[in-house]
Amino acid sequence: MTGKIKSSKPLENSELFAYKNPELPVEDRVADLLSRMTIEEKVAQLMGLWNDGIEDFGEEVLNDPAKMKEIFGNGCNSVHPSALGIKETVKLRNKIQKYLVEKTRLGIPTLFVDEGQHGLMRPDSTVFPQAIGIACSWDPVLLEKVYGVIAYEMRSRGTHHALSPVIDVCRDPRWGRVEETYGEDPYLNGVLGCAAVKGFQGSDDGTVIDNHVAATLKHLLGHGEPEGGQNQGPANYSLRVLRDYHMPPFKMCLDKVKPAAVMPSYNEIDGVPSHTNKWLLKDVLRDEWGFKGMVVADYFAIDQTLLKESVVENEKHAATVTFNAGVQFEFPKSNYYYHLIELLEEGKVNLEDIDTAVSQSLKLKFELGLFENPYINVDKAIEVSKNVEHKELALQAARESIVLLKNEVHPGTNGNALLPLSKNKYKKIAVIGPCAKDLYFGGYSGEPYEKVSLLDGIKNKVGNNTEILFAQGCKLTTNTTTSYFNWKNHEIKFASREENLGLIKEAVEIAKKAEVIILALGENEHLCREAWAKEHIGDNMTLDLFGEQNELAESIIALGKPVVVYLMNGRPLSINKLVEKVPAIIEGWYMGQETGTAAADVIFGDVNPSGKLTITVPKSAGQLPMYYNHKRSAQFVDYISQDIKPLFYFGFGLSYTDFSFNNVRLENNDIGTSDSTKVLVDVKNTGTREGSEVVQMYIRDLVSSVTRPVKELKGFNKIKLNPGESKTVSLPILPEHLAFTNRDMKFVVEPGDFEVMVGSSSRDEDLAKTILHVK
């Protein structure tokens, strides 16, 4: 909050007041404290604090009582993140908290906020696979464990509120934030979002337990399908599309795991920016869905209503419209909400709405125990950051998330698939490409104590028995640093074509010496990231490999040697020529700090890959939009220049063993519209080694009052089977799996026949089918 602080009478014997008594119910403490607050103190609880993009206010502020009073004198809702190390973080946060607790009139502590979509976004933290990667594990239990570790590392450093998870349904791979999402499917995003929230908060009833943090669902609504694939672009889709595709993950999480907060999206819907959308934030979120938690602004989104979207006249008008629309808290700092005091005097906002929001903020602070335990122990924070179990979990997550896209015979493999490679067969292996030695994590990333590149992972795996040759091959960009700063910094410097052609020649000479080549291609955080300003771009109009990578691949393939392509990226890439010419392809996404170890485990067969795609891979950007749950009239006839089939289907992923699906049947073939049943299938490992398979269930309404998708994921189960082992898998079919928004805009189950499909991917030939009759 800016402006002069009005003087308030100090509280005498404040320790006697009810809000100071931890034995009282939280509701009583909130009511007592709220009754003692001035309007200035209340409004301060609705705003974050950030020092021009960094949390570190500096010693010149922290040691100056006058400046501290100016900034923190009335308190604040929260202090927002920076890239400080552990010791600096703890020191700064304890100083700020000490001032708020001991020097302000009411002693209200602050919340500290951080990002955590694939690890705490700070140095010396565990970096897990980026969201689009870990989603490919199709393992909610794993995700809950991962986000539990992230929460633990956060809380040990004093973080209370995570601005995660991202559960946007992503339906445009040109968008720079694809990597932050769990993919294109509403049901899967909801299930994985529930796991993430439960991991962050440690419960499914809204309670934030010890060593956990409050979670924030984002971004409501339509953010993952922006016009032109450009971040913050309009999402002007029909109400039925919004309700049947974009809303379900949010409603599922709100119903099942009770997140503490929801963040609206930057984009507009039907011409109305989400931060000004009363229908979305009050009529739907509050009244229809019954959400009781906090609604927090995305960073500078309130500013954008004036500066970008032009739906308000000035700062005061922006504060009026967004607050009355339902945005309770301005993040990351107070640019506009300090006007609420004046707006209240003018009768343009209601005191009841302010008190409700303040009460929610105070309730969270009391429930987190901040009034009794506001400070952080630096030794504990360091100990938590070095927990070896966190490193082991990062490795497990990476192993389970890698997707094997292709594995065929090469002339030099004696009739066997190229992968896995034998550690003892090859004397010289070349590891080539811009993603071999350099390791990229994706946006919103922390930086671990240690990290393993693909090159190092392969060296560690084969030991001294095999010579590992390396060549850069080409460069993606030339000003790369750590993943965080690749994502954060504005400037992108591209390598020259002349330089890259020279590197390709060098790589070819190196590759000639090898018996097998591992070609590491993809992108980095410069080439696909969140775009938030004209000087900070991140979306991409093409899905092709960037720069001279295709030329590098063609030159290496031309040598006629076995080639394994390893992709490191955050969005689908249209690698048509590689699919045509290369026998083995691995989708590695951004796999986190253990990338090299996990990749080598898969390449050399110590781990059997089990990841499945959670987003469709098109053959070109010209096919967009392309997602598996399309309507029948979409993807119906081929283009003149290209067919309508994707390069890789949603749910697809290979294994080093084989599985069969047999005897698909329903527990009850005939049910009522309010009844449930189950589909059962016998799955057998018909190969020669242990493996995991994701059993996927899709449903199609054969005749309906409005057009429906050709199939929709409505259940899945990941199972592990030994060679020759069989297991009967049962998946429930509930009324909610059959319901949709009908012609009258009601969410109902219509009587009729439903096709139930079970198999290993969304591709028709991978599915066995049966018919469910609903009366």
Side-chain angles (χ1 to χ4, degrees), residues 45-50 55 76-82 93 97 109-117 119-122 147 150-166 196-197 199-201 206 208-209 211-218 258-264 286 291 293-299 327-332 357 360-365 367-370 376 444:
Q45 291 296 316
L46 306 184
M47 300 179 293
L49 286 173
W50 216 26
E55 180 185 74
C76 64
N77 169 270
S78 49
V79 177
H80 288 253
S82 70
R93 288 180 164 181
Q97 206 73 291
T110 190
L111 299 169
F112 289 106
V113 177
D114 269 309
E115 299 276 1
Q117 188 66 352
L120 169 58
M121 195 180 72
R122 286 178 181 266
Y147 286 106
I150 296 171
Y152 189 25
E153 292 190 4
M154 284 182 166
R155 196 64 187 272
S156 72
R157 302 189 202 189
T159 305
H160 312 108
H161 185 177
L163 299 182
S164 305
V166 175
V197 171
F200 276 125
Q201 298 189 167
V208 181
I209 68 172
N211 297 321
H212 287 74
V213 297
T216 305
L217 292 186
K218 60 185 192 183
K258 308 295 186 296
V262 169
M263 178 182 285
R286 296 293 192 192
F291 179 60
M294 303 183 295
V295 177
V296 302
D298 207 339
Y299 281 22
V327 181
Q328 299 171 298
F329 303 91
E330 183 179 13
F331 285 178
Q360 290 174 333
S361 175
L362 297 178
K363 178 175 180 289
L364 179 59
K365 293 178 179 184
E367 289 177 342
L368 291 172
L370 298 187
I376 319 158
Y444 288 91

Side-chain angles (χ1 to χ4, degrees), residues 66-245:
K67 290 182 179 179
M68 289 294 285
K69 184 175 182 181
E70 179 184 357
I71 297 170
F72 295 100
N74 275 334
C76 64
N77 169 270
S78 49
V79 177
H80 288 253
S82 70
L84 295 176
I86 296 178
K87 292 182 180 179
E88 295 86 352
T89 296
V90 172
K91 179 181 178 182
L92 172 69
R93 288 180 164 181
N94 280 341
K95 278 192 173 184
I96 291 174
Q97 206 73 291
K98 184 177 178 66
Y99 181 87
L100 290 167
V101 170
E102 297 183 5
K103 300 298 183 181
T104 60
R105 190 177 75 94
L106 295 169
I108 303 173
T110 190
L111 299 169
F112 289 106
V113 177
D114 269 309
E115 299 276 1
Q117 188 66 352
H118 62 123
L120 169 58
M121 195 180 72
R122 286 178 181 266
D124 302 332
S125 61
T126 306
V127 180
F128 294 94
Q130 180 58 288
I132 192 66
I134 197 169
C136 291
S137 71
W138 290 61
D139 189 344
V141 175
L142 174 65
L143 264 75
E144 184 179 336
K145 291 178 182 177
V146 165
Y147 286 106
V149 165
I150 296 171
Y152 189 25
E153 292 190 4
M154 284 182 166
R155 196 64 187 272
S156 72
R157 302 189 202 189
T159 305
H160 312 108
H161 185 177
L163 299 182
S164 305
V166 175
I167 61 169
D168 299 310
V169 173
C170 178
R171 290 162 67 113
D172 196 321
R174 296 172 296 179
W175 184 42
R177 303 191 75 173
V178 173
E179 64 185 50
E180 299 173 47
T181 76
Y182 300 131
E184 71 186 37
D185 183 71
Y187 177 82
L188 181 61
N189 283 23
V191 171
L192 299 182
C194 286
V197 171
K198 193 173 179 182
F200 276 125
Q201 298 189 167
S203 76
D204 59 8
D205 63 2
T207 304
V208 181
I209 68 172
D210 290 346
N211 297 321
H212 287 74
V213 297
T216 305
L217 292 186
K218 60 185 192 183
H219 310 81
L220 190 72
L221 182 72
H223 195 44
E225 195 175 1
E227 185 177 296
Q230 293 191 290
N231 192 43
Q232 304 181 12
N236 290 326
Y237 301 105
S238 73
L239 181 56
R240 183 172 286 104
V241 167
L242 295 174
R243 285 197 173 275
D244 286 349
Y245 297 96

Side-chain angles (χ1 to χ4, degrees), residues 508-573:
V508 169
E509 294 304 311
I510 293 292
K512 287 178 180 178
K513 303 174 185 178
E515 299 161 81
V516 65
I517 300 158
I518 299 170
L519 187 57
L521 306 173
E523 295 184 334
N524 64 22
E525 300 85 4
H526 282 146
L527 302 179
C528 184
R529 62 182 183 178
E530 180 182 5
W532 59 66
K534 286 185 177 294
E535 66 273 15
H536 190 95
I537 58 176
D539 309 304
N540 205 326
M541 57 174 278
T542 177
L543 305 180
D544 298 330
L545 285 170
F546 180 80
E548 285 70 38
Q549 290 185 92
N550 274 321
E551 291 171 81
L552 169 64
E554 289 172 1
S555 299
I556 297 299
I557 294 167
L559 297 176
K561 300 188 177 188
V563 176
V564 177
V565 167
Y566 183 90
L567 297 174
M568 186 181 297
N569 50 297
R571 67 191 184 112
L573 297 175

Side-chain angles (χ1 to χ4, degrees), residues 566-730:
Y566 183 90
L567 297 174
M568 186 181 297
N569 50 297
R571 67 191 184 112
L573 297 175
S574 298
I575 52 168
N576 300 282
K577 291 183 180 179
L578 298 182
V579 172
E580 179 184 345
K581 298 180 179 181
V582 172
I585 302 174
I586 294 172
E587 176 55 89
W589 303 113
Y590 294 130
M591 277 295 127
Q593 67 181 52
E594 303 300 322
T595 290
T597 303
D601 286 343
V602 169
I603 290 170
F604 291 95
D606 292 329
V607 168
N608 191 354
S610 61
K612 301 280 188 174
L613 294 175
T614 62
I615 190 167
T616 301
V617 180
K619 291 177 180 174
S620 72
Q623 290 181 313
L624 300 179
M626 175 168 271
Y627 29 80
Y628 87 92
N629 50 352
H630 59 85
K631 300 293 185 70
R632 285 198 70 198
S633 57
Q635 301 177 35
F636 190 73
V637 296
D638 289 337
Y639 292 103
I640 291 174
S641 56
Q642 192 172 62
D643 63 41
I644 56 168
K645 294 180 180 180
L647 190 59
F648 294 105
Y649 288 77
F650 174 88
F652 178 79
L654 300 173
S655 170
Y656 293 151
T657 191
D658 297 303
F659 299 92
S660 65
F661 289 72
N662 296 295
N663 193 22
V664 174
R665 68 269 189 199
L666 294 166
E667 183 180 62
N668 297 304
N669 294 79
D670 298 272
I671 62 172
T673 56
S674 60
D675 297 333
S676 301
T677 185
K678 296 177 183 177
V679 64
L680 299 95
V681 61
D682 300 330
V683 184
K684 182 177 182 179
N685 182 343
T686 59
T688 59
R689 62 177 294 170
E690 180 188 75
S692 295
E693 177 64 291
V694 179
V695 181
Q696 303 165 40
M697 177 184 71
Y698 299 87
I699 295 177
R700 176 186 171 194
D701 193 342
L702 293 177
V703 179
S704 50
S705 61
V706 297
T707 60
R708 299 289 294 134
V710 294
K711 59 176 71 77
E712 294 179 292
L713 181 74
K714 294 299 180 180
F716 64 91
N717 188 4
K718 189 171 187 177
I719 61 171
K720 180 177 287 187
L721 296 174
N722 292 316
E725 182 182 3
S726 297
K727 183 175 182 179
T728 298
V729 176
S730 172

